[in-house]
Amino acid sequence: MSSNFYAAVTVILWGAMPALTKDLLNALPNFETLALSSLFAFLFLLAVNLRGGLKNLSAEKIFTASWLGFLGLFLYSAFFYYGLDRLSSQEACILNYLWPLMIVLFSCQILGEKLTRRKILAVGMSFAGVVLVMFGGIEENFSSEKIFGALSCVIAAACYGLFSVLNKKIRLEQKFAMMIIWATTAICAGFSGYFFESWIMPSVGQFIGLIWLGVMIDAVAYLTWALALEKTSNTARTANLAYLVPILAIFISTLIFGEELSPAVIPALALILGGIFINK
């Protein structure tokens, strides 16, 4: 499979993530949502790995995948969920999508990829599309709570951008690595929830939502994204495709939550697609 195929699967699955997660966070505590969905992601990937046979396991690989999981998915998800709980799904998703820009910047520093004029123009156009959606469609003034939520989403973006580049550089076998990464996330979220939250019993519908979030969005989508980055020779170009996600997420959030659709979506989409084609 090509990197573009894996990236396309990721975009479709991630497009539904903000709306689904926002709906779960409206009823369940943050760390509970993260712990349970991460547990389902781990169990799914464990079944996949057991079917294929767990080979070449070592303490070094487990440790490496664990600290990558703490950085890239526990910290990323914890900060993003905090922001999503305090912002609309549109706002949180848009701010979160600073992470493809972070990938480009980190890949130049860590992977030694050249920051060409075409990459700068492509990233600039796509990021301008995201900014246009944010400031063109969200007129409400930021409260102190929204400021903390926004900062949390930016920190989350930096965590995931750094994780993506380090994961590509270290080159662990991705099905095994993502299994350990989600196990680490589930354990860290479980301990955090024990100390900072009072958990509640999910309803049947919420339980189904947690399974979908864990299996399809966490396990499958994050795995296909890791494979997309692993197989590409141009990390910046592949990362740029992720800018399609906030546009898709905005349409889904509008349908589910009735959030007002920004009039800036269409010109923003033109900028985002233009950036993707320029970077080909």
Side-chain angles (χ1 to χ4, degrees):
M1 299 291 184
S2 69
S3 63
N4 288 335
F5 170 81
Y6 287 121
V9 171
T10 306
V11 167
I12 293 171
L13 290 173
W14 275 352
M17 188 268 284
L20 173 59
T21 307
K22 179 71 174 180
D23 190 47
L24 290 170
L25 292 176
N26 285 337
L28 301 174
N30 290 13
F31 285 122
E32 179 181 358
T33 302
L34 179 56
L36 293 178
S37 61
S38 299
L39 176 62
F40 290 129
F42 162 70
L43 292 175
F44 174 80
L45 290 170
L46 176 63
V48 170
N49 279 285
L50 287 175
R51 185 176 180 181
L54 289 172
K55 301 176 182 178
N56 301 322
L57 293 179
S58 68
E60 180 182 359
K61 290 180 179 178
I62 292 173
F63 175 76
T64 300
S66 295
W67 70 258
L68 278 174
F70 178 80
L71 167 69
L73 290 185
F74 171 65
L75 289 182
Y76 160 73
S77 299
F79 281 115
F80 179 60
Y81 283 15
Y82 180 90
L84 187 59
D85 198 30
R86 285 154 179 79
L87 303 171
S88 72
S89 57
Q90 281 192 38
E91 292 170 315
C93 183
I94 291 166
L95 290 172
N96 181 53
Y97 270 81
L98 285 167
W99 68 257
L101 178 63
M102 300 292 185
I103 287 180
V104 174
L105 298 177
F106 285 129
S107 66
C108 292
Q109 295 297 319
I110 297 174
L111 301 179
E113 295 188 4
K114 293 182 178 179
L115 189 62
T116 64
R117 292 181 179 178
R118 175 172 288 191
K119 286 182 181 180
I120 294 173
L121 178 60
V123 171
M125 286 182 66
S126 293
F127 184 64
V130 174
V131 173
L132 180 60
V133 173
M134 180 176 180
F135 291 100
I138 300 172
E139 299 176 356
E140 182 180 350
N141 292 328
F142 277 115
S143 63
S144 59
E145 186 174 78
K146 284 185 173 290
I147 291 174
F148 284 117
L151 289 175
S152 184
C153 287
V154 173
I155 294 171
C159 288
Y160 192 70
L162 180 58
F163 160 79
S164 295
V165 173
L166 290 175
N167 193 28
K168 177 180 174 66
K169 180 179 178 65
I170 295 172
R171 293 189 177 277
L172 294 173
E173 200 284 314
Q174 288 302 312
K175 285 189 292 185
F176 162 76
M178 294 306 296
M179 178 186 72
I180 301 300
I181 284 168
W182 281 118
T184 302
T185 303
I187 292 170
C188 292
F191 274 109
S192 299
Y194 177 79
F195 288 107
F196 299 110
E197 294 176 342
S198 295
W199 286 17
I200 61 177
M201 178 64 68
S203 67
V204 174
Q206 291 159 0
F207 195 74
I208 293 172
L210 288 167
I211 293 175
W212 180 267
L213 177 62
V215 173
M216 297 305 298
I217 297 177
D218 290 348
V220 175
Y222 279 90
L223 176 59
T224 54
W225 180 249
L227 290 171
L229 290 178
E230 183 181 74
K231 292 179 177 293
T232 187
S233 59
N234 189 333
T235 306
R237 182 179 63 186
T238 301
N240 219 38
L241 292 173
Y243 278 111
L244 291 172
V245 175
I247 298 298
L248 179 59
I250 286 171
F251 280 111
I252 293 174
S253 297
T254 301
L255 291 174
I256 293 177
F257 293 107
E259 294 180 2
E260 184 179 352
L261 183 63
S262 167
V265 165
I266 300 303
L269 181 60
L271 283 169
I272 290 168
L273 291 175
I276 291 171
F277 287 122
I278 285 175
N279 208 23
K280 283 189 174 182

